[in-house]
Amino acid sequence: MAHLAWIEDDHQRISALVKLLKDDGHIILPYASLQEAQNHILLICKCDIVILDIILPPSEDDPYTGVNLLKTLREEHDYKGEVVVCSRVRNPAVLLKLQELDVKTILNKPIRPSTLHSVITKILTAG
Amino acid sequence: MTALYYIPSKIREDLKYEVLNQAIINTTGPVALYETWPDRGSDFTINDKKETTWPKFHHLVLQDETRRNLFLKDYQKRASRALTMEAHVSIGWLGTCDVIYPLHHQSGISVIFIGGQFLFDDQMAEARERLERFLTTVESKQRPSYRHFWHELPRLSKTDVSKIMKEFELAGRSYLLALRQHSDLRYITDMSTHDVVVTLQSLIAEIEILQIDLKEAFNIGKKWERRFESLLSMIESHNTYLESWLERRITFDEPQYTYDSIVELVKESADTFRPSAKARNIEIRADFEQINTVEGKQMIAVRMQKPSLRQAFNNIFDNAVKYSFSGTANHPRWIDIVGRLETINEQNGYSITVTSLGVGIDSDEQKLVFEAGYRGKHSLDEEFFGHGLGLYYARQVIEKHEGIISLQSKPQESRKYLTEIKCWFPIHALQNTKPGDR
């Protein structure tokens, strides 16, 4: 049983995406905004895997706030766990930044629940 | 605004060339553009060779290639000093002058235009001195060519130089504006498609979970699994279509047009669908009016952007096969393709008509089926999967090719319809045009 942080502003609308993971007994901790995630950053750092959407509110100045959150996790809190990005951004600069922040898996939405389940299971098994 | 950094390098290059070409036309001289990015390190690149002493510049110099490297280095030395200066005339290594116009953007990005290789009236004495000093460093046999080059340069007055500075200011501002607009467009695209994608994501997730739950609870058979799979694939293909449509709109790529045979393109497209048609005992028959043959191909030359036009016909044939009634081994059905020369509004053209017998479209819907997302009510039966975008796309593409597309669907006996989709294209020279000519 793993703890999975799910940082996704639309987690209520797309809750079915993580159903197979819940059925496996994993604990899913959802956070809908950058602020909410930052308020629970210490809890997120204890999770085995972080599932991260890149586009999170607020997004007036910089739409890709998920990248900033990841930067905080890696650099300020030394988070070493795997981060799986589930998003829909093709911006080359953002993709490069994610690579630099040690993101090995990027799933472009829309994703099937079985795909996410397979990726997470593989990571947990390998770990 | 950090989003200014998020421009694919190809598009930045295209924008630069566009702005620089305009600056060259207006100033009639070679132009270099420099940019400084606040968070870049101390890399310096010249002709892909890295040096580490200077702040990084992205530069373009359009000038005599044989002197390119020397000019580049000279430009960059002076550009680095120009960051803190107002627009001014600077004298270079050969005594030739450049107008340097720095443009500072509020985000910290600087764009500097340098246009050179002229002699400035007010600085002739210094220019001559620099020339002579330079000539002492080169071999004597090279000196005449440098002198000749120097004397051939235009002499500019203060008024001329002011005009060039103004042109550079306009060019620099338009470059920054174009970057900003593109960045905003990409941001808007990401934001607007975010909402659409969430809907698609929700659908895909719910449908797959429903499929899994039904399989577990009721052991649904393969037929139902295939239908769920088709539904999921349809949603995913819609997403792919949306992405490629959006990507075309935010890049500045101009499609490549060539003169090619419309008959050969239609034949290739039809051939793709022969196997799936045959599986349902549907025969695809073709009858093309022949004009002439070039290199073994019927050369009805239409100016076309091949990939998109092929996709348009793929959509038309996909519909024709999908909505045709199946035949039997003894009584196969058919889809007819007829190609004929046709003049419309005094323009020579060629029409391709695809006719099939099957699910039809009522007369009040025949124009609506070309609108995005619209599906005829007879096609809403659950066995016909589609998202109402095929004919919409086909019309967009055919109209871009200055063509015309129309549809007629006439009821026959026993709830069958004879549906005809006709595409007409203006044609160009029928002779002496080889495939792939531009």
Side-chain angles (χ1 to χ4, degrees):
Chain A
M1 182 184 82
H3 285 75
L4 310 173
W6 187 27
I7 304 166
E8 164 64 64
D9 57 325
D10 289 298
H11 67 82
Q12 286 175 333
R13 281 175 72 187
I14 60 172
S15 56
L17 182 60
V18 296
K19 185 179 180 297
L20 296 178
L21 293 167
K22 280 183 181 171
D23 287 348
D24 276 1
H26 300 308
I27 308 291
I28 310 288
L29 304 173
Y31 304 99
S33 67
L34 177 68
Q35 190 60 59
E36 199 182 335
Q38 282 171 339
N39 291 345
H40 296 89
I41 197 89
L42 295 178
L43 205 56
I44 291 171
C45 288
K46 290 181 182 164
C47 288
D48 301 282
I49 296 175
V50 172
I51 304 168
L52 175 66
D53 186 6
I54 294 301
I55 298 179
L56 293 170
S59 55
E60 286 107 14
D61 293 329
D62 182 358
Y64 311 110
T65 47
V67 178
N68 297 332
L69 177 67
L70 180 55
K71 204 163 179 275
T72 304
L73 277 173
R74 291 287 197 220
E75 292 173 7
E76 291 177 32
H77 297 277
D78 199 30
Y79 178 71
K80 296 269 190 274
E82 288 268 353
V83 174
V84 173
V85 166
C86 290
S87 198
R88 198 188 173 279
V89 174
R90 306 301 169 110
N91 195 308
V94 175
L95 294 175
L96 188 64
K97 195 73 188 167
L98 290 174
Q99 250 186 340
E100 288 169 7
L101 291 167
D102 201 28
V103 170
K104 297 186 183 73
T105 310
I106 298 173
L107 300 175
N108 280 310
K109 284 177 181 166
I111 318 155
R112 298 192 189 192
S114 57
T115 305
L116 181 62
H117 176 262
S118 165
V119 163
I120 299 292
T121 304
K122 198 171 166 185
I123 294 170
L124 290 171
T125 313
Chain B
M1 181 178 160
T2 56
L4 266 174
Y5 292 83
Y6 302 146
I7 308 292
S9 55
K10 186 188 178 307
I11 290 171
R12 288 256 304 270
E13 290 297 320
D14 290 345
L15 282 172
K16 280 194 183 74
Y17 271 108
E18 202 177 298
V19 163
L20 281 168
N21 279 335
Q22 201 53 46
I24 288 170
I25 288 166
N26 292 334
T27 62
T28 66
V31 178
L33 179 154
Y34 291 84
E35 294 165 292
T36 59
W37 301 87
D39 65 348
R40 293 299 192 198
S42 58
D43 291 333
F44 164 76
T45 305
I46 171 170
N47 291 342
D48 295 323
K49 192 181 154 197
K50 281 200 165 68
E51 296 181 26
T52 54
T53 321
W54 303 83
K56 182 165 185 175
F57 288 91
H58 188 103
H59 54 268
L60 264 174
V61 178
L62 302 173
Q63 60 170 342
D64 178 1
E65 286 290 330
T66 60
R67 298 188 184 90
R68 182 187 167 97
N69 289 350
L70 288 168
F71 273 115
L72 274 174
K73 268 207 164 151
D74 187 47
Y75 274 175
Q76 285 174 345
K77 267 188 202 172
R78 287 182 287 129
S80 65
R81 289 197 292 271
L83 281 172
T84 54
M85 299 171 78
E86 299 292 321
H88 64 283
V89 174
S90 168
I91 298 185
W93 59 281
L94 195 57
T96 56
C97 289
D98 307 297
V99 165
I100 299 185
Y101 196 97
L103 190 71
H104 298 279
H105 191 261
Q106 58 194 347
S107 75
I109 298 162
S110 300
V111 177
I112 302 168
F113 275 91
I114 298 183
Q117 296 188 51
F118 64 88
L119 295 168
F120 188 32
D121 265 349
D122 279 9
Q123 298 189 19
M124 283 302 295
E126 190 183 345
R128 199 167 280 116
E129 204 181 313
R130 281 181 182 239
L131 170 69
E132 295 304 328
R133 211 162 41 231
F134 171 74
L135 290 177
T136 63
T137 67
V138 301
E139 289 181 24
S140 54
K141 61 183 177 184
Q142 289 180 318
R143 288 173 198 165
S145 66
Y146 279 109
R147 276 194 202 284
H148 177 75
F149 166 74
W150 195 93
H151 283 289
E152 291 293 307
L153 290 173
R155 279 196 191 187
L156 299 187
S157 65
K158 267 191 183 156
T159 311
D160 297 324
V161 168
S162 297
K163 181 176 170 274
I164 289 173
M165 282 189 185
K166 195 68 195 163
E167 295 294 343
F168 281 175
E169 183 187 5
L170 290 172
R173 288 193 192 287
S174 74
Y175 175 62
L176 289 176
L177 181 63
L179 282 187
R180 175 68 182 259
Q181 283 175 337
H182 178 81
S183 172
D184 285 350
L185 186 56
R186 195 167 265 273
Y187 164 68
I188 287 165
T189 306
D190 277 348
M191 291 298 104
S192 57
T193 55
H194 181 251
D195 289 343
V196 170
V197 166
V198 167
T199 305
L200 294 177
Q201 175 64 81
S202 171
L203 279 171
I204 282 183
E206 295 289 348
I207 289 168
E208 194 185 39
I209 294 299
L210 178 64
Q211 177 193 12
I212 293 168
D213 286 349
L214 285 174
K215 195 174 172 183
E216 277 177 19
F218 301 108
N219 196 22
I220 57 171
K222 286 214 181 306
K223 179 187 164 188
W224 286 99
E225 280 195 46
R226 273 200 300 271
R227 289 184 69 173
F228 272 107
E229 187 54 41
S230 290
L231 192 52
L232 288 166
S233 298
M234 182 184 82
I235 298 169
E236 284 164 348
S237 74
H238 185 98
N239 176 60
T240 307
Y241 176 82
L242 174 69
E243 261 185 27
S244 64
W245 187 87
L246 283 169
E247 194 58 33
R248 280 198 298 278
R249 272 142 187 82
I250 62 170
T251 61
F252 294 100
D253 286 341
E254 281 297 313
Q256 293 293 313
Y257 281 86
T258 55
Y259 288 97
D260 268 302
S261 167
I262 185 67
V263 168
E264 297 304 322
L265 182 137
V266 172
K267 276 184 187 174
E268 279 167 19
S269 177
D271 285 346
T272 314
F273 291 89
R274 284 188 198 281
S276 54
K278 192 176 173 190
R280 292 175 50 210
N281 292 305
I282 299 170
E283 189 189 329
I284 298 180
R285 310 187 295 203
D287 171 21
F288 294 106
E289 183 174 352
Q290 295 190 29
I291 302 300
N292 65 338
T293 305
V294 176
E295 296 179 359
K297 293 183 181 178
Q298 291 187 32
M299 199 54 207
I300 313 296
V302 166
R303 184 174 173 271
M304 64 173 74
Q305 206 267 322
K306 244 182 160 176
S308 63
L309 193 57
R310 190 182 290 118
Q311 183 60 52
F313 275 102
N314 283 354
N315 290 355
I316 289 169
F317 287 121
D318 183 44
N319 276 0
V321 171
K322 185 161 59 180
Y323 297 118
S324 279
F325 290 145
S326 297
T328 61
N330 294 327
H331 297 286
R333 300 270 184 213
W334 39 262
I335 292 171
D336 275 341
I337 310 168
V338 173
R340 292 285 183 266
L341 283 173
E342 186 175 342
T343 300
I344 292 181
N345 296 333
E346 296 177 348
Q347 164 77 54
N348 289 332
Y350 199 86
S351 65
I352 305 280
T353 306
V354 179
T355 309
S356 57
L357 187 72
V359 171
I361 301 162
D362 286 344
S363 55
D364 58 344
E365 295 187 296
Q366 288 178 21
K367 284 195 173 143
L368 296 174
V369 290
F370 290 108
E371 291 179 15
Y374 191 90
R375 297 185 66 210
K377 54 179 175 281
H378 297 304
S379 67
L380 294 176
D381 194 329
E382 58 192 15
E383 68 179 287
F384 300 117
F385 293 118
H387 36 71
L389 292 171
L391 287 182
Y392 165 73
Y393 177 83
R395 186 178 81 165
Q396 298 289 309
V397 167
I398 287 166
E399 286 180 355
K400 262 197 162 42
H401 284 77
E402 298 171 343
I404 303 168
I405 183 170
S406 61
L407 180 146
Q408 273 194 334
S409 192
K410 295 175 189 161
Q412 312 290 300
E413 83 281 0
S414 308
R415 294 172 65 197
K416 295 190 190 79
Y417 281 74
L418 193 68
T419 301
E420 221 178 61
I421 293 184
K422 184 173 170 184
C423 309
W424 176 92
F425 299 91
I427 54 176
H428 297 267
L430 300 180
Q431 295 175 357
N432 301 323
T433 308
K434 295 194 195 56
D437 276 357
R438 291 185 185 216

